[in-house]
Amino acid sequence: EAKDGNEGFAALQLHADEIAFVVSDWEMPNLTGIDFLRRIRSDKKLAAMPFIMVTSQTSIERIKLKQALEAEVDNYLLKPFLVDDLRIKVDLVLQKAKMRVNIERDLNRGREYLDSARWNEAFKTFNQIIAVDPTNIPAYLGLATAQRHSAPEKAIPKATQYIRKAIALSPQCEQAHIDLALTFESAMSLEKAIACLREALKYCPFS
């Protein structure tokens, strides 16, 4: 337990490996729940910590809830709530955290397959990730990379399909735009590669 966000953050830094998730009220002295959440998400070591925010059922609290969602809260509870409500939320965030760990493990395995030119294993691994998380941008880019190297003559249609999916999910993803240009460059479509980069600057003007 911690009396406020500052104390909670200090406890997290000291005991991160022993803590599975955070449950925090919004209203706290010194450091509010939303600022506590933002501090966790901006910390490299703690960023993936599952976080449940507790708020009350008023219109002002619903505005706060929107802010919490934008700050990447994992789940929330509206007061008053029952112990069973808390138990359900905890189960959900822990399932999500476990999925996130498994996906990160599989992404690393897929990257290892790319590094060792094991294209079929890379395809299989990245497709498994997308089956679990259809919004996983690194998996789409991994598929495009495998396609570009395993079958250069067929690279453009399939690889660009994967990359454009990644761009649709996150237009500001600089790496996706670069990979799209590289795909056209690998097929000697240099004008298209340049056009991709120019288009990318609309979304990533400081790249």
Side-chain angles (χ1 to χ4, degrees):
E1 288 185 32
K3 64 184 178 183
D4 61 33
N6 283 327
E7 190 177 292
F9 190 74
L12 275 175
Q13 288 182 307
L14 287 173
H15 306 286
D17 295 337
E18 304 165 42
I19 296 173
F21 60 92
V22 173
V23 180
S24 172
D25 203 343
W26 183 290
E27 297 295 342
M28 295 189 293
N30 301 318
L31 188 71
T32 64
I34 188 66
D35 290 327
F36 181 33
L37 171 60
R38 287 170 178 154
R39 186 177 290 184
I40 289 172
R41 292 292 180 253
S42 64
D43 185 281
K44 188 174 181 181
K45 184 179 178 182
L46 301 174
M49 177 65 66
F51 195 108
I52 300 173
M53 184 74 79
V54 180
T55 66
S56 61
Q57 300 188 56
T58 67
S59 58
I60 294 175
E61 297 301 326
R62 291 186 184 282
I63 294 172
K64 291 180 178 179
L65 178 57
K66 182 176 181 293
Q67 292 178 319
L69 293 171
E70 289 170 351
E72 299 182 31
V73 73
D74 289 285
N75 220 309
Y76 58 90
L77 272 169
L78 296 176
K79 294 185 281 190
F81 59 86
L82 302 174
V83 172
D84 282 346
D85 298 329
L86 175 60
R87 187 176 290 111
I88 289 169
K89 298 290 186 177
V90 168
D91 287 343
L92 287 172
V93 299
L94 291 180
Q95 288 171 21
K96 181 180 177 182
K98 183 177 180 181
M99 183 181 78
R100 193 159 47 207
V101 168
N102 289 340
I103 286 174
E104 191 59 37
R105 178 203 61 208
D106 290 344
L107 281 173
N108 289 332
R109 182 183 297 131
R111 292 178 186 122
E112 289 172 5
Y113 289 146
L114 292 178
D115 290 341
S116 57
R118 296 164 65 182
W119 313 122
N120 288 336
E121 289 97 328
F123 274 120
K124 182 178 179 182
T125 301
F126 291 127
N127 274 314
Q128 287 173 341
I129 294 169
I130 290 169
V132 175
D133 178 12
T135 64
N136 194 283
I137 292 170
Y140 285 110
L141 298 184
L143 285 170
T145 300
Q147 182 68 51
R148 195 164 63 237
H149 288 89
S150 65
E153 69 284 353
K154 301 177 182 177
I156 289 185
K158 289 295 290 182
T160 56
Q161 177 184 341
Y162 295 132
I163 298 169
R164 290 192 191 283
K165 177 66 176 177
I167 291 172
L169 289 166
S170 178
Q172 287 77 38
C173 179
E174 180 179 308
Q175 190 59 52
H177 293 288
I178 291 172
D179 283 6
L180 186 59
L182 287 172
T183 299
F184 285 119
E185 182 185 11
S186 69
M188 296 306 293
S189 299
L190 300 183
E191 288 184 7
K192 288 185 178 180
I194 292 169
C196 286
L197 294 173
R198 285 181 174 150
E199 178 69 17
L201 288 174
K202 296 178 183 178
Y203 304 100
C204 311
F206 301 108
S207 173

